Amino acid sequence: MKHYDVVVIGAGHAGCEAAYAAAKLGVSTALVTINLSEIGKMPCNPAIGGPGKSQIVREIDALGGMMGRVTDASTLNIRLLNTSKGRAMQVRRAQADRDAYKLHWKKTLENTDHLDLIEGMAEEIVVSDHRVVGVRLREGLEIRTSAVIVASGTFLNGEVLIGNLVYPAGRTGEPPSIGLARCLRDLGLRMSRLKTGTTPRVNRRSIDTSELERQHTSAVPLGFSFWREQRVLPDDYPVYVSYTNEATHAVIRNNLSLTPNFNGLITSEGPRHCPSLEAKIVKFPDRTSHKVFLEPEGRDSAEVYLQGIYTAFPPDIQDRIVHSIRGLEHAQIERYGYDIQYDYIDPTQLSPTLELSGIEGLYLAGQVNGTTGYEEAAGQGLVAGVNAARSVLGDPPFVISRTQAFIGVMIDDLVTKGVTEPYRMLPSRAEYRITLRESNADLRLAGIGHDIGLLEDPLYEQAMARKEAIEKLLLHLKNERIGSRHPLNKALAIRGTPVLTDNGASLYELLRRPPVRLSDLISSDDYPEDVLTEVEIEAKYSGYLEQQEREIERLRRMERLLIPEEMDYAALESLSIEGRDLLSRVRPRTFGQASRIPGVAQADLSMLAIILRQ
């Protein structure tokens, strides 16, 4: 019998970050997975980042996690998105080498102190007196432990669907987790089903790119990690863009009875923001085309992922769909798309630490909580890993507020509102998204990562040096005033903004004007690019940022109004029956969280505030 302080089940993005975080905090950790060669696997598209997701990756990096560093080490192509919008809204998206990404994760974990990797299938979580005491593997090994993190992805009772074919699998080519799913149900957890899907992959040599739009990698240095030098990549692995057409749509409309998305085999909800191609054709009958992104899978692989063609049609129909698209007329499909249904846990049963209410030491992270996406899973994994380690060490819980990070928004949404479809992080979910930019994640979170012991001293000092440089430049701009005779007046006139009068203005006031660039006011050679970018954002968005800071402070006051853990909502007769039921189900930790529970009336919140003050 082995003993570890923390056991992590599953080595996807959630499990990798959880295991790394727990071990980094100094507790003995075991990562259990059915195949050590598939650690950090990207079963869907080989891409990291994008709106809402890029922020999470940068926050993981700022806290001391590894996703950003592993992505940068395996990137093929990286671009800045939303470039037509303001600097605060721009985000990164990278195409990763699928095999290199896995290899870097495996190397990272194999070389992490206090962490052992174990190949096997977890079948039972042993609970005694409402707390975790062990894990039993299919292979007969029993591990004694104080904390377990379930990061099982789509493996719980997973089923793959292609056409009319249904077979058990955690993902194609890998077995599902039946015993663990049964164990979690036997422990009394509320569980349901969700579904997701993948696209066909084709051989690069069979594609004609001559008439397709080419998306180049960034011509300026770019990366996810704050701690690695930003670089320009060779433009050897571009993404190409094609489109579906009327012929594509006709094939789909004429064969809807052959896809599990419409023949009744799929009974669970899929991700609304990433629907199947057949669902898009039915839902938007007036659209004559939809984008298809041809994404490279790796330096040593000829496979190309057809982003946008999520489908589970039989192989012969998938061939017809693919061959109807420009550039893919003779494409050879190496892997066919499929859908997968799986069990997930109702996340309202979790606390903001991702620990399950009622079973001490049991944490859940990733798709098992009803989310979709590598980035969402990794963010949860880091939080679960830190909290599992801190519970072993006797340290206070680690909770990220929705005022501090996109990770905090996501977890608060999950544990407060639950899910009815796979949850995807979107910028619109974050009320304070201008404050919670991807560009300032290190300024917001490096101190927290350092305090909990996840971010090393040199990296923390690097973040503080950047923060000091930004503050120093902002102070200079606010203190430096110029008048009507200053040579900068010519630049203002060229920019089409009013010239200065005798009263003059500070450089900061000038920078707040939309047409004025920081390079108009100072020599850009004197400061690093990331400092200049952040200073310009702070000035341009100062009005919005000040307003959001007032709103954030209001929410902080609500979060400081704590609700006793033993609160008996059923006994609060001044609340409505519905309000009592909803509050009892979620059991919010603070008044702020209670105010975000869907369906709780304002009258109930007013009464709850009075009760708490009493």
Side-chain angles (χ1 to χ4, degrees), residues 43-46 98 172 196-202 274-277 280 292-295 297 303-312 318 322 333-339:
C44 199
N45 60 320
R98 189 188 299 274
T172 185
T196 189
T198 68
T199 79
R201 277 91 152 175
V202 301
C274 200
S276 67
L277 179 58
K280 287 193 285 190
V292 180
F293 296 90
L294 283 61
E295 302 178 340
E297 295 235 343
E303 288 185 63
V304 173
Y305 188 92
L306 302 183
Q307 168 72 3
I309 309 182
Y310 294 97
T311 186
Q318 291 194 39
V322 169
I333 298 180
E334 295 190 349
R335 303 179 198 242
Y336 288 93
Y338 65 89
D339 281 347

Side-chain angles (χ1 to χ4, degrees), residues 465-531:
R466 186 168 96 97
K467 183 177 182 179
E468 182 179 345
I470 291 168
E471 291 173 347
K472 185 176 179 180
L473 180 52
L474 281 169
L475 184 62
H476 166 69
L477 294 174
K478 291 176 180 178
N479 289 340
E480 184 75 17
R481 296 187 66 84
I482 62 174
S484 58
R485 298 181 181 179
H486 197 281
L488 273 175
N489 257 338
K490 293 181 180 179
L492 297 179
I494 292 172
R495 289 290 187 188
T497 188
V499 297
L500 296 176
T501 64
D502 290 338
N503 292 329
S506 70
L507 297 182
Y508 182 79
E509 291 169 334
L510 294 177
L511 184 57
R512 291 184 63 177
R513 298 182 181 184
V516 179
R517 302 265 73 87
L518 187 53
S519 57
D520 296 330
L521 308 177
I522 63 171
S523 172
S524 300
D525 297 335
D526 296 337
Y527 300 91
E529 182 62 32
D530 60 346
V531 170

Side-chain angles (χ1 to χ4, degrees), residues 48 55-56 84 221 299 339 355 399 451 454 533:
I48 299 291
Q55 287 91 335
I56 290 178
S84 62
R299 292 179 177 85
D339 281 347
E355 186 178 25
V399 175
D451 287 345
L454 199 55
T533 298

